Amino acid sequence: MDSDALMLLLLVIPFGLLWLLFAVHRKRLGFGNLSIRGALVLAFLAFELLLLAITELTSVGHHFTAGTVASLWLIVIVILLFAARTQIISLVQRARQRDSAPFGLLDRAKRLTGEDRFWVAVLIAIFGILVVTGFLYPPSNGDSMVYHLARVEHWIQNRTVAPFATHNLEQVEFSPLSEYNLAHLHLLSGTDRFDACMQLLAALVSIVGVSELARLLGGSRSTQIAASVICATIPSGILLATSTENDYFAAATGIGLLMILMAFSFGRRWGY
């Protein structure tokens, strides 16, 4: 693993820790009806809030630089590690147990029907192909070149996400959060070869999120898998999943907000 990829751990680790914290404390936070899949979607929304805060804060005074952004993400990691220290120790102890499968994944797979296993394999194959495509072929579609990536380079050059002079209003008028993710990827890795990661993550969150929504609506396991397959095989989604377009990103955000509306509840143990 080269240094460029290692720097991306500054983004991967906080996301993983947020997922762990939401999975463990979802009842306390008022999301007792959600599964671990739902916790993943909540972690995505929380991660985006952190990324938004870091981007906007460092832009004040033109401090949106690789060093400043990396330092703030390190601080976030330290705080999250402290908050999740008990859960991390528990996970390590479970992983060391030789008499059990990793986190019960094999047991859950055995409970699936043959048809369900087939569709899960289809999902894995589709996403695997998208991941390989995303890393082999960088985005080159028109919108990516005209304003998605162009605005990112302007922000990095100006060291701020403040509006800049341009003849293409799409670079300053469209909602910027998805491109904030790209800007962090560019700053931390020093390259644009990981641009597909943002859309691929959003696609994964969308696929997981629709299955969770199906579960909340009372759908069976087969129905939840079918919902994921339908989401993963949307033609425009497959075309855009490895680009810098923000369609899947918007979908993931919308699914997350809808899931919050459906699942949040002030229970007896809320806040405790």
Side-chain angles (χ1 to χ4, degrees), residues 22-234:
F22 275 111
V24 172
H25 299 295
R26 56 187 185 274
K27 291 183 179 179
R28 184 179 302 177
L29 296 172
F31 296 100
N33 293 329
L34 292 183
S35 66
I36 295 178
R37 287 174 290 163
L40 173 67
V41 182
L42 292 180
F44 172 78
L45 296 179
F47 178 83
E48 292 304 320
L49 285 175
L50 280 173
L51 187 140
L52 173 63
I54 290 175
T55 304
E56 295 292 347
L57 287 174
T58 54
S59 290
V60 177
H62 297 267
H63 296 297
F64 187 59
T65 62
T68 306
V69 168
S71 299
L72 289 177
W73 277 118
L74 279 174
I75 294 173
V76 170
I77 290 174
V78 171
I79 295 173
L80 292 177
L81 282 173
F82 179 79
R85 63 191 185 282
T86 303
Q87 290 75 29
I88 294 173
I89 294 174
S90 177
L91 283 176
V92 172
Q93 291 175 345
R94 288 178 58 186
R96 289 179 176 177
Q97 294 178 357
R98 299 180 180 179
D99 57 344
S100 62
F103 309 110
L105 294 179
L106 291 179
D107 293 335
R108 295 177 183 177
K110 291 178 181 178
R111 291 196 293 267
L112 296 176
T113 65
E115 183 178 356
D116 289 343
R117 293 178 187 176
F118 170 78
W119 288 117
V120 170
V122 169
L123 286 173
I124 295 174
I126 291 174
F127 203 78
I129 293 172
L130 290 176
V131 170
V132 172
T133 302
F135 280 97
L136 289 180
Y137 306 101
S140 58
N141 59 308
D143 287 350
S144 295
M145 300 294 104
V146 171
Y147 67 92
H148 286 295
L149 294 177
R151 71 196 311 197
V152 169
E153 295 307 317
H154 273 292
W155 293 336
I156 293 175
Q157 172 185 282
N158 299 339
R159 300 196 298 179
T160 179
V161 295
F164 49 87
T166 176
H167 70 284
N168 191 336
L169 295 182
E170 293 172 330
Q171 296 179 6
V172 291
E173 288 186 344
F174 284 7
S175 56
L177 186 54
S178 61
E179 285 83 8
Y180 283 2
N181 288 263
L182 293 173
H184 281 245
L185 287 172
H186 284 207
L187 282 173
L188 295 177
S189 68
T191 179
D192 60 357
R193 66 189 178 100
F194 301 110
D195 285 346
C197 291
M198 183 271 293
Q199 272 283 84
L200 286 171
L201 174 62
L204 176 63
V205 171
S206 297
I207 294 169
V208 171
V210 296
S211 71
E212 182 69 4
L213 288 177
R215 189 187 69 83
L216 292 172
L217 291 171
S220 64
R221 184 182 291 111
S222 296
T223 302
Q224 297 168 37
I225 294 174
S228 295
V229 172
I230 292 173
C231 179
T233 54
I234 296 174

